[in-house]
Amino acid sequence: KAGVTQTPRYLIKTRGQQVTLSCSPISGHRSVSWYQQTPGQGLQFLFEYFSETQRNKGNFPGRFSGRQFSNSRSEMNVSTLELGDSALYLCASSFGTSGVDTQYFGPGTRLTVL
Amino acid sequence: GENVEQHPSTLSVQEGDSAVIKCTYSDSASNYFPWYKQELGKGPQLIIDIRSNVGEKKDQRIAVTLNKTAKHFSLHITETQPEDSAVYFCAASGAPSGGSYIPTFGRGTSLIVHP
């Protein structure tokens, strides 16, 4: 069974630009969560999508947004990039249908903002 | 909301020694506790998990113990090997928020195993 895939793996952008990251979950998984990982803040939850609807949201500014498609693939977008947005962005998928279930992570997208 | 504390932040051991990483959580509603291993340049990988109806779970050299009364759980790695060197994260979930169960992660422990 293929794991969670994320594209691209690396991105370099400049301040003020916007970026779109993509995540394909494990087949059969309908929940996709996004996290920002930095050395100083650890793993911080951005948002979760289930059946094309945002079901939960972390404490991030509105510049961070996402969406989910009918095939469960998800994208996240960051507009007006700031230097502090440099981080590893991780996507995790799970069944998401009943109670607590295990999240499986992708390899991440390393975003560098210059 | 849930708060997970993880200690130590760095752990250095000699090959063959045991390593123990401890986590505490705050929300008594949490009932699922996964552990992830993250190697350099990779995403976190699930290595073991435990649910609240179980006090201990083992998988070869790895074990996790849970004390729900004290609200803490621990990861034990025996006979450590250099390839165990990585960052380990604990997490707790089970308190629903917005209709889903989002895990709260600890800050991570960097385990270094010296040959």
Side-chain angles (χ1 to χ4, degrees), chain B residues 15-16 80-86 111-115:
Chain B
E15 183 177 0
T80 54
Q81 301 166 4
E83 51 264 38
D84 293 330
S85 296
L111 174 63
I112 303 163
V113 181
H114 299 281

Side-chain angles (χ1 to χ4, degrees), chain B residues 66-82:
Chain B
L66 171 65
N67 184 327
K68 282 221 76 180
T69 304
K71 295 200 194 112
H72 66 69
F73 56 112
S74 301
L75 177 71
H76 304 252
I77 305 174
T78 58
E79 300 172 23
T80 54
Q81 301 166 4

Side-chain angles (χ1 to χ4, degrees), chain B residues 2-109:
Chain B
E2 176 66 277
N3 182 50
V4 176
E5 299 280 341
Q6 183 172 348
H7 298 281
S9 56
T10 305
L11 180 57
S12 184
V13 301
Q14 288 296 127
E15 183 177 0
D17 288 350
S18 293
V20 180
I21 302 170
K22 300 182 178 181
C23 289
T24 59
Y25 61 99
S26 61
D27 193 334
S28 57
S30 290
N31 60 7
Y32 176 62
F33 308 91
W35 285 87
Y36 291 86
K37 174 184 180 182
Q38 186 174 25
E39 297 175 77
L40 205 59
K42 298 183 179 181
Q45 298 297 307
L46 179 75
I47 56 171
I48 195 167
D49 57 11
I50 191 167
R51 295 186 185 267
S52 60
N53 58 344
V54 175
E56 182 176 2
K57 184 177 178 180
K58 281 186 179 181
D59 183 3
Q60 299 182 352
R61 297 185 297 108
I62 294 173
V64 57
T65 58
L66 171 65
N67 184 327
K68 282 221 76 180
T69 304
K71 295 200 194 112
H72 66 69
F73 56 112
S74 301
L75 177 71
H76 304 252
I77 305 174
T78 58
E79 300 172 23
T80 54
Q81 301 166 4
E83 51 264 38
D84 293 330
S85 296
V87 178
Y88 292 80
F89 292 94
C90 64
S93 64
S97 173
S100 57
Y101 297 82
I102 303 301
T104 300
F105 287 86
R107 295 294 293 267
T109 295

Side-chain angles (χ1 to χ4, degrees), chain A residues 9-10 33 35 37 39-43 45 48 55-56 88 90 96 98-108 110, chain B residues 31-32 34 36 38 41-46 49 51 87 89 93-103 105-107:
Chain A
R9 293 293 312 279
Y10 303 93
S33 296
Y35 294 85
Q37 186 177 32
Q41 299 297 320
L43 272 161
F45 172 71
E48 184 224 4
R55 191 161 67 170
N56 219 323
L88 181 67
L90 292 161
S98 60
V100 175
D101 60 350
T102 303
Q103 291 192 338
Y104 295 89
F105 284 87
R110 172 73 61 184
Chain B
N31 60 7
Y32 176 62
Y36 291 86
Q38 186 174 25
K42 298 183 179 181
Q45 298 297 307
L46 179 75
D49 57 11
R51 295 186 185 267
V87 178
F89 292 94
S93 64
S97 173
S100 57
Y101 297 82
I102 303 301
F105 287 86
R107 295 294 293 267

